[in-house]
Every structure is written in C-alpha cells, then in structure tokens.
Amino acid sequence: MSRIPKERKVQNVHRSAGPPRPIGPKPVPKRFHQARWDEPIIFELSTPGARGILPPPVEAGIREAVGDPAAALPKGVRRERPPALPELSQIHVLRHYDRLSQETLGVDLNIDVGQGTCTMKYSPKVNDQLIRGPKAADLHPLQDESTVQGMLEIMWRLERLLREISGMDRFTLQPGAGSAAIWANLAMIRAFHAARGEADRRDEVITTLFSHPSNAACAKTAGYKVITLRPDAQTGYPSLDALNAAVSGRTAALVITNPEDTGIFNPHIESFVQAVHDVGGLACYDQANANGILGITRAREAGFDLCHFNLHKTFSTPHAGGGPAAGVCGVTSELARFLPTPTVEGDGERFWLDHDRPDSIGKVRPWYGVAPNIVRAYAWIMSLGAAGLREVAEIAVLNNNYLMKRVLEIRGAAAPYAEGHRRIEQVRYSWEELARETGVHTDEIGLRAADFGVHYWLSHHPWVVPEPLTLEPTESYSKDDLDEYAAILRHVAGEAYTDPEIVHTAPHRSTVHRVDDSALDDPARWAMTWRAYRRKVGAPA
Amino acid sequence: MAADQPIVHPYIPNSIPAIKAEMLAAIGASSVEDLYADIPESLRLRRPLDLPPPYRSEVELVRHVGGLLDRNVSAREVISFLGAGCYQHHVPAICDEINSRGEFLTAYAGEPYEDHGRFQALFEYASMMGELLEMDVVNVPTYDGFQAAATALRMAARITGRSRVLLPASIGRDKLSKIREYLKPDLAVGLTPYDPATGEVSVPKLQGALGADTAAVFLENPNYLGVIETEARGIVRLAHEAGALAVISVDPSTLGVLAAPASFGADIVCGDIQPLGIHAHYGGGHAGFIATHDEERFVNEYPSRLFGIAPTIVDGEYGFGDVAYDRTSFAKRELGKEWVGTAAALWGITAGVYLALMGPQGMTELGEGLMARTRYAIDALGVIPGVTIPFRKRHHFNEFVADVSAGGRTVAEVNAALRERGIFGGADLSVQFPELGQAMLVCVTEVHVRADIDRLAAVLKETLR
C-alpha cells in the first residue's frame, strides 16, 4: 500500500487527546447504504466490434464438405441483418452484471424477514455446490434410465420424504413453482370429476381471500367459477357457516391455505374439509405456508385429497430472483392415477420413469421437474431429519411470535384479528393507526426501510387489512436479527411521527431514488425493452 | 448424539437452548407447544416423522448426495446427440458465474429500489431478446417454452375472441399434452398434418382447416422434426386472411441466421431460452418467453410480469417497475389474465448474459456453425446403409430425423449399442411418430467436433451392418 504523508493523515475527530476508546458499537439501525453504480443500460456499453465470447470455428473438413448451408437459405427465411445486440468484451459483461448483482438484495445479504408469505430462509451453499457439477447440471432428460440412476433415486427418495411429511400417498415433482403446482392440482380436480361424469355439473371452486391469488386465478383459468370466502372480522378466517352457504352439488373443490397469510390457523379445517366432501367435492390444501407446521400437523390428518408444497419456500431452495423454483403436488391414492406423466418409480435398487399412465393429466411442464431444486430440497431435508424439520417449524413459529411482540410494541402498529391468539409462521400487520396519525403510508415505510438494507412487503391484493405489512421470520434468523429488524421498523415509525418528510421522500440510501412510475400504465410511454424506450423518447436509431 | 438431546443446527440460529428460553420468556410462553394451541388435538401428529436419519455434517451430506449423483453419467462424459427441446450448447463460464452470485440467486420479490439490479438485468434480458426477435415487448420469463406456447395461444384467443387453434402435427407429444390440458375447457385444438415429403406443415391442408373460429395458427420454427419451415411467410399470410393470429415458437439460438418471425408477420412469438447459456439440468433448465409488438390489445393480454423503464426524480437515473400491473392475477385474482407467480427469472438473467457475451457476431457465427455441422452430420449418416434421412434435402438448423428401420433394428436397440460405445444417440421418435418408422432425432451443437460426428457415423454403420 502507499503511505500517506504524516502531515496529511486524518486526525481522530472524536478524541484528539487522552486514552484510546472503543470505536464501536454500531448504531441501531445501521448506517446502511446500498451499492449505487449508476450503471448504464447494457446497450450503452456497446463498442462496435467487441467480442464477449467466441463460438468454436467450423472445422475445415466440415466447411469443405458442406460449404455454408446458412447462405443457401431462401430469401426471407435467412435473417437479413445481424441482431442489434450490444457488443462488449468479456470483462465488461462480467463487471456490468456483478454491479447489477450488488444492486440486488438477496437472502444472503439481509435480514430477509420482510417478504412475508415467501418463506425467505437460508439456502445452504453446499446444496448449491452439489447441483453445479456435471453429474447434475449436464444430464439430458432423455438419457437412458441406466445413466441417470442417481438422479432418479433422489427424485424417488424425495417423493417418499414428502409423502411422510404430508401423509399423502403419491407426489409429482414436475410443476415449475407454486402456482404451477396449484394449476396441476386444479387440472387433477377437473380430471377426477370428469372421470366420474360430473365435469359439467361441478363448475365451482371455493377459496378464501387470504389464500394466494393463484388459487383463485388458476381455478378460473381451468374453467371454474370462483367463490371467495371473506375472513370473519374477529377470527380472521371464514366461518363454517359461510362455507356451508357456499358448498353445493356444483362444488368441484375447496382450495385453501392454512394457516392463511395472517398466520392464523383455522381450527375448523377438518369441518371445512368434511363439508366439501359431504357434497362430493375435493379438498385441496395450498401448503405454501407449511414452514411452521412441519412435523406438527399434516394434510392427511385434516382429510385433504390434494396438497402442494413450494420447494423454494419451505424446503430451502433459492428463490432465484423469482425462479427457477419448484412445486410438488401430493394426492391420495384415489387421485394418483391423474398425476402428471411420468411418475418416478423404483424398487429401492433400480429406478425408472413410468410413462404409461392413461388417466394422467399429462404434462404440466417439459420433462420431470426442476431437477436442481429437487436435489437441493432433498439434501436440505436429509441434513435435518425428522427432529430437524420439527425444529425448523418450532423456531419459525417462535421467531414469528417473538417478532410480533416486538412489532406490536411500536406505536401505530397492530395485528388485526384473533386478538390474544398466537400466530403460526407469519403475521399480517396493519399501520392503519400510524397512517391516520401521521399521513405516512405503509408503502412509504417500506421504501424508507430499504434505506436500512431490508425488504418490506405489504400484502397480496386486495388489501383486506388496511395499510398492510406481512412479516415471516422463518427459522433462519437469530434473535439479534429480529431485534434489528424491529428496531428498523421502530425507527421508521418514529420518523413518521417526528419527521414524516424523510419517510415520504424515501429511499435516500438505496441504489436509485423515487421512480416516476406514471409511465408504466401509459401505453404511449411505457417501454418494456430498450428499443421501445428509444423509439418513444425519439432517440436516434 | 442421542435423538432426545437438543440439536443446535447450523441453519437454525435460535436453536441454541438458552436463546430459545429467553425468547419464550419474552413472549410469555412456557414452551413452544403453547404457540400451537390453536391447532386441534385431532390434527396433531403425536409422533416424530418417520424419516431416514439425517446427515447433519456437511461431510456426511456431501458423501451421501454426492454419492448418489456420482452414479449418473453426464452428457459431458460421452458424445451426446440428444436434443428434442433440451440442448447441450456450450454454457459460457460467465453465465454460471453470474447466476451463482448470491445476490441474484437468493433474491426474490423486492421492490425496484433494493432490487434495482434485478429489475435492470431482467429489463436488459427482455431488451436483448427484443433485438433478437425484432419485437418491442418481451415478458419476464414464464416457466418454460411449453407454458409460453400455451399462454400465447390463450392470449391469441382472447385477442381474437375465437375458440380454436391450429397446431402442426409435427409438434412434440409432450408439448401437445401440455397445450391441450392448458387450453381446456375454453379452446379446441386442431392438428395440421405435415407434408411427409418435406416434414414442413402442409399449406393446402392448413388452408383447408382455417375457419371463422380459428384464433391462432401455431407454427414451430424449426419444427420438432428439425426442419425449417420455409413457407412460414405464406402461412402467416393465410392466418391473417382468415382473421387469425400467427403464433410462432422459435428456438432463439437460431436467430443469428434465421429471420425473426416478426419480419414475416408473426403476431406473438414464443419459445424456450434454455439454449441461451443454461445447462440441461436433467430438464430443469427451461424458461419461456413471449414477445409481441407494443400494442395495447396485446400487452393487456399477457399474464406475466412486464418490467418497464422509467425516470426517477434524479436526472440521468434509470428506474424500473411493473407495466400495466392491473392485468395480472397479483392485482386482480381471478379477474386477471390467467395467473402469474414465481417462474424462471434467474434463467432470464442468465440468457441476458449469454446474449451480451455473444453479441451480433457470436449469434451469427453460432447459427452458421450449427447449420454446417448439422449438414455434415446429415450427409455422414445419410450414406450409411440402413439409415434414411427422410427430409434430407430440406433446410435444418441443428436437428434432423434419421430412420434406421431399413437396418432392421429399433432405435432403442441402436441406441443401446451406441451407448456401449460411449455415444448417446438421438431421441427415439418411434412412439411419438410411428409413421416415421424407427426414427431418431439427432441433435448437433457447437460442442461437437467433426470427429464426434464421424464416430457416430462409424459406430452406427457398424451397428447396422
């Protein structure tokens, strides 16, 4: 290193004389500032002629034998001009994306309790290493089964673990994520009723307002009329009376989450399932919120016919900025014949794919599932075992109730519904009182929270809880982490009362400042690509 | 360690008994059991889950899981000619480097502030795809090319208000299965035969199938049989004349040499980005794209998220956000368009990195090289007694059909023999397309050198002798 001349060294501004004192401790909340590289759009980094990577040249022997077949393509079939992609040297591509990555806040970096309903837990690095070697990454799905016995065995084993965790009889690992698993379950529900000649008669699906939007949306896409039950104002979950009024001979299924996004467990769920069974409908359990109940309670005991898990939530696979994820659907033996094709079969020694499934709903995605996440989830479960999974659930619930206590100590915060009851793995809070008293709204609190290096998520739509905030602390965070997150909320809530302007104008220490998003709903100004943007702002081509 | 001893697990910070006790005290609970008071006894599992004993140490875990994976034979240990929708292209090191970054890998659904970089990377992905496709709107990736096709067809039906779609009979049976199930109960699916002489969609048959109820004519280019649809322009015109939309699925790795479907009138273009810098992952490396022109009636029918660029309050600063969010099921539940959820964003970022690395020259050279290698392979296999290349004279990109019926062996038998010699032969088409005989779909990529292709030809010749 270079030495700074003595006369220009910085003096200790806090203490110019006397004995040394400790530099710390860190203030709470910390003086975070996110990376701000002010990075151009990649097209602006283009230098004509630059190369990022070179494809292998065509060998002379091939060229001599066949010439240039691309040149023989008919006019109109051949591309006339090369695509106007940016041209960058390799280091510039790397640097650009490394910088963008630094302007992104993953679980690895933050106390990620602020993205409620998403179960943001630690994704073990060892599992990531396992899936990146060629023995996992470079397998083709059509390889002969004899050459993928290890992968098939992992799939077979994971299914057996999931069967025990849920109590269901068979699983598919095929869906690409949670909503795709919901879709697969609805397709199986449709197939089940069609096989009984009741497809036309059963045209309604019942769900609840605090269940994920995809439960309603997938049902609609599958051709069903959607009936949505609203939460009771006291308990936070729909009443059995409301369900009884909704079920009928037209009911194809109830699709429900429990605990719902409020973290409140519906204790009447068995009666809900029974009421649907009584009219000949199926009960389908969206288990996106399973993290707090692993080893505590299962789909089987509540009588469900179908369920799904999100491997990227409960089972630790990384969320990948919004996928690749993985969804898995479990069903009772009565519904197993409808599972997507193929299923993975085995005898404990040898493993194979069964494509001969005439009643199956067929494919929900290419091949057999998101294999890297299947391996990661398997490794995660195998690193914990039964006692470990139970510990995951218990600590997730303990963390949640602890954080709830801390949050509710903050002026202006509330947790609507079920007063005096514990919550399972998450809570939907409300800043209604704070908003009324300060004029600061929940979305603004979230943007200010970004100044302290954390995420903050509001709620799915519609906002049944006013000024919502949903926190799910999972098992991955320490007591100190939870205290820090609560301290950030307390700090920002305090600002709302004392200095609301700083919250209204946030973020201040994020990568960018407040976005003028008026263009995003205006067809004349919205731009989903650089070419559209350049055209709309009249930039030269 | 005995099973009843408390476990302090490395992944669970608060499993330290003293901390647990402190937190329980703070919330006034005597045990964690108190927290489950709302779960009725009848639903409680009062026994431990019956799971195998865990591998708590990393050493044990890697030995176990790594040991299972070691039983696989990777496509890199052999010469593989498998494709059929999942391709062994070279994956540039930078692609893996970027998608391994913990910031991207463990991000999720943050706002365009703390996740600005993720928004920018996905906007850039869409922008580079937009250049490749010559279209102004590209979605944040959906799950895979199957889903992209199925959704593109539903979009076309909503836009036209019609209820029937025409698919080429050369489509892969898995993709057909997905599309059929996804379009139920609203849309009927018709199949247009392919010309047995060319492998291309039969234009007269298509013309006969078009009707006032046709919402979309769906075309794959190259098609599943590896043939480039040279009449695509005319097919698009016929679709338009019938008031239908042209939905074209394309392998994006072809677009350095093949015309973008928009250039011959496609209305919706879709496909899978796995060929763009993503490993096969045993079929787990897929992500789907949907692209259209920037017209409101198209934009409003996307179920996917669309990221747009916008100014911030600071001059010269780019911001991002969701475009026309109210179309989505996130905003409107069952009143939104189909449904949206977590899908395949990181593969989108990866494909963006790939396109940035390749640039215009790279994509052109890649395409030219693939076509040359493939033609070389067609010629090399075509002269083997017992092998017929049914569409030999047509234009191929990187796959072609080879029929081994004349050699008196099944594809399964031939592939078993090849496997013994360190070669994974082409995908077996004999169940999906029995009319093609004992046909395999041979895939060639830039990872193959001439010697690989010569070896396939030599071993095939020996096998069929």
Side-chain angles (χ1 to χ4, degrees), chain A residues 46-265:
Chain A
S46 183
T47 303
R51 302 297 302 266
I53 193 157
L54 304 176
V58 176
E59 290 157 277
I62 291 179
R63 184 63 78 203
E64 283 155 21
V66 304
D68 180 9
L73 285 167
K75 186 175 156 47
V77 174
R78 169 106 208 220
R79 189 173 190 118
E80 286 178 9
R81 284 177 306 277
L85 294 168
E87 298 171 80
L88 284 84
S89 302
Q90 195 167 103
I91 192 174
H92 294 114
V93 175
L94 178 70
R95 185 194 295 162
H96 176 68
Y97 282 99
D98 274 358
R99 287 175 172 182
L100 295 186
S101 78
Q102 291 191 346
E103 295 175 341
T104 304
L105 203 56
V107 171
D108 283 1
L109 292 171
N110 84 109
I111 302 167
D112 213 343
V113 310
Q115 291 191 26
T117 78
C118 300
T119 316
M120 303 304 294
K121 62 172 65 182
Y122 173 57
S123 289
K125 293 297 164 191
V126 63
N127 299 346
D128 213 49
Q129 280 187 2
L130 285 166
I131 61 99
R132 286 188 184 271
K135 294 279 194 180
D138 295 314
L139 301 180
H140 191 282
L142 288 174
Q143 284 184 216
D144 189 77
E145 285 162 3
S146 65
T147 66
V148 286
Q149 283 293 297
M151 186 60 88
L152 291 174
E153 182 168 350
I154 288 172
M155 292 175 153
W156 182 82
R157 283 171 172 260
L158 179 61
E159 184 190 346
R160 292 164 79 87
L161 300 177
L162 293 167
R163 285 190 213 166
E164 171 62 10
I165 289 166
S166 65
M168 304 309 270
D169 297 318
R170 285 304 306 262
F171 268 81
T172 179
L173 312 179
Q174 195 178 106
S179 295
I182 293 171
W183 166 261
N185 275 341
L186 279 151
M188 285 190 275
I189 288 164
R190 196 166 61 181
F192 172 85
H193 291 304
R196 294 155 64 102
E198 295 194 340
D200 293 337
R201 183 158 80 83
R202 297 194 178 272
D203 62 353
E204 293 178 350
V205 164
I206 302 168
T207 187
T208 71
L209 201 46
F210 282 136
S211 291
H212 192 277
S214 286
N215 288 307
C218 288
K220 174 75 183 315
T221 309
Y224 289 107
K225 179 174 169 245
V226 177
I227 299 174
T228 303
L229 305 180
R230 296 189 64 90
D232 175 88
Q234 258 71 50
T235 64
Y237 49 81
S239 70
L240 189 55
D241 287 347
L243 177 73
N244 281 328
V247 295
S248 73
R250 295 178 64 180
T251 304
L254 168 71
V255 185
I256 192 167
T257 315
N258 194 30
E260 294 185 299
D261 288 355
T262 52
I264 299 167
F265 192 91

Side-chain angles (χ1 to χ4, degrees), chain A residues 59 135 153 270 292 535-536, chain B residues 36 42 71-72 136 450:
Chain A
E59 290 157 277
K135 294 279 194 180
E153 182 168 350
E270 276 179 286
R535 175 168 54 76
K536 290 186 180 182
Chain B
Y36 289 118
S42 59
R71 296 174 55 196
N72 298 325
D136 277 2
R450 181 186 176 194

Side-chain angles (χ1 to χ4, degrees), chain B residues 191 219 282:
Chain B
L191 288 182
L219 203 59
Y282 198 48

Side-chain angles (χ1 to χ4, degrees), chain B residues 177-299:
Chain B
S177 163
K178 163 73 190 189
I179 290 173
R180 279 201 163 124
E181 188 67 23
Y182 194 72
L183 301 192
K184 279 183 195 169
D186 303 323
L187 304 180
V189 174
L191 288 182
T192 308
Y194 61 89
D195 182 333
T198 66
E200 297 187 38
V201 166
S202 160
V203 177
K205 296 246 166 75
L206 173 73
Q207 202 158 10
L210 280 164
D213 62 346
T214 308
V217 172
F218 181 79
L219 203 59
E220 295 185 297
N221 198 34
N223 67 28
Y224 185 75
L225 304 177
V227 178
I228 294 169
E229 297 277 1
T230 54
E231 301 294 330
R233 187 178 298 267
I235 289 170
V236 169
R237 193 167 51 239
L238 286 174
H240 287 168
E241 281 166 12
L245 298 185
V247 179
I248 300 191
S249 172
V250 65
D251 174 346
S253 73
T254 64
L255 295 179
V257 292
L258 295 191
S263 73
F264 48 85
D267 302 288
I268 307 179
V269 181
C270 60
D272 201 302
I273 57 174
Q274 185 272 330
L276 305 181
I278 300 163
H279 293 272
H281 286 295
Y282 198 48
H286 293 282
F289 70 85
I290 302 171
T292 62
H293 294 302
D294 187 0
E295 291 174 37
E296 239 184 301
R297 67 191 181 113
F298 284 87
V299 171

